[in-house]
Amino acid sequence: MHGFPLFCIFALTNKTMRIDIITVLPELIEGFLNESILGRAQRKGLVEIHLHNLRDYTTNKWRRVDDYPFGGFAGMVMQCEPIDRCISALTAERHYDEIIFTSPDGEQFTQPMANTLSLCENLIILCGHYKGIDYRIREHLITKEVSIGDYVLTGGELAAAVMADAIVRIIPGAIGDEQSALSDSFQDNLLAAPVYTRPAEYKGWKVPDILLSGNEAKIKEWELSQSIERTKRLRPDLIQKIDK
Ligand code: SAH
């Protein structure tokens, strides 16, 4: 039921994916990227995640990456040169499917976008800071601008970590059972059905009988009906997308 064609595409692609993240604060997300499912996916050779400290690409002795904005506005803006030098160094080595800039005014990050990006071979994710980056980088080097939601963060690192997590966990082999990733919320625009584990009764709170029945067909039917009911109740906007 869930995402069968997507799984077929996955099965055909078995190259190691590479994600290069450019940031002024690599230490902010280094731990996150090397733990749990992302860490395991890297150790299994399913993905390589490289962090690049933008300050390594500066040419001034203070390793400064920002300057005052033209026009007398408040705040600081990340300069073109270090970003251009870093991206050029990476693109000289290999072709990138997308050069992504994390930005609150970008396209909203969604599960379908994560699915599409997980099929890419090489991705760059550039994290902004301060007031943002010199717009000329966005005009000339960036191929995709992505927001993780309608709020403003202090930097793009959390956005890059969110994207890397959502992208990597659906690479086949990253989590034990691919079917499990494909039955998560938002695949097929449906929210996931509730899940339960042992004991079957806790403080008098019971697991639905059907899940203990061993009747696989009936359980599948229950799972789908729960997904539809929860989506209609909690996210009617998603149901409208299915109807279209
Ligand atoms: N002045 C900018 C916000 C800068 S916030 C504006 O009003 O649009 C600093 C950096 O944090 C941004 O350049 C971006 O890289 C990152 N960022 C902030 N909010 C984000 C969001 N919702 N999604 C993705 N990146 C975000």
Side-chain angles (χ1 to χ4, degrees):
M1 171 273 303
H2 285 293
F4 181 66
L6 188 69
F7 181 69
C8 289
I9 302 170
F10 282 157
L12 295 173
T13 59
N14 57 359
K15 286 199 184 109
T16 301
M17 184 182 196
R18 181 181 166 117
I19 303 176
D20 290 275
I21 300 176
I22 306 173
T23 164
V24 283
L25 286 170
E27 60 277 12
L28 209 61
I29 48 172
E30 198 171 10
F32 175 79
L33 296 170
N34 290 320
E35 293 293 329
S36 186
I37 288 172
L38 271 82
R40 207 176 62 205
Q42 290 183 81
R43 289 190 291 278
K44 276 187 175 176
L46 299 173
V47 63
E48 284 178 25
I49 305 178
H50 297 270
L51 283 165
H52 304 276
N53 189 334
L54 194 60
R55 295 192 197 282
D56 294 342
Y57 296 84
T58 51
T59 50
N60 64 79
K61 68 175 175 194
W62 306 276
R63 289 164 57 88
R64 269 191 77 156
V65 295
D66 60 323
D67 207 335
Y68 294 99
F70 283 123
F73 303 112
M76 301 301 278
V77 175
M78 286 166 75
Q79 292 174 290
C80 286
E81 195 193 27
I83 299 174
D84 181 31
R85 280 166 53 98
C86 183
I87 292 178
S88 300
L90 291 172
T91 53
E93 294 292 324
R94 64 194 70 77
H95 169 76
Y96 283 87
D97 303 281
E98 297 284 6
I99 302 176
I100 298 168
F101 175 52
T102 57
S103 187
D105 57 10
E107 187 185 339
Q108 173 97 37
F109 188 59
T110 57
Q111 188 62 52
M113 195 195 288
N115 294 346
T116 305
L117 291 174
S118 80
L119 298 173
C120 292
E121 210 172 312
N122 300 311
L123 292 176
I124 291 176
I125 305 179
L126 170 65
C127 305
H129 252 276
Y130 319 112
K131 259 191 96 63
I133 63 171
D134 191 308
Y135 202 76
R136 287 168 292 186
I137 293 290
R138 298 173 65 171
E139 287 176 316
H140 296 286
L141 297 181
I142 298 298
T143 61
K144 193 173 185 68
E145 299 185 324
V146 180
S147 164
I148 60 160
D150 285 349
Y151 38 78
V152 177
L153 303 165
T154 51
E157 288 73 19
L158 289 176
V162 164
M163 292 173 68
D165 187 310
I167 291 168
V168 171
R169 71 188 293 283
I170 48 176
I171 297 175
I175 52 180
D177 170 8
E178 283 85 8
Q179 217 46 48
S180 162
L182 296 176
S183 63
D184 282 332
S185 294
F186 305 114
Q187 297 291 7
D188 290 354
N189 285 318
L190 285 176
L191 301 182
V195 289
Y196 303 86
T197 187
R198 284 180 287 186
E201 186 171 339
Y202 175 75
K203 285 185 172 176
W205 307 337
K206 287 189 176 151
V207 166
D209 287 339
I210 181 79
L211 295 178
L212 311 174
S213 70
N215 184 333
E216 256 181 59
K218 284 266 178 259
I219 291 173
K220 281 252 160 290
E221 223 172 81
W222 175 87
E223 187 191 19
L224 179 60
S225 70
Q226 287 288 318
S227 280
I228 294 172
E229 187 280 316
R230 296 188 75 240
T231 314
K232 277 187 179 158
R233 181 162 47 87
L234 302 169
R235 291 294 303 275
D237 56 307
L238 292 177
I239 291 282
Q240 277 163 13
K241 283 190 197 163
I242 299 175
D243 291 343
K244 270 179 197 157

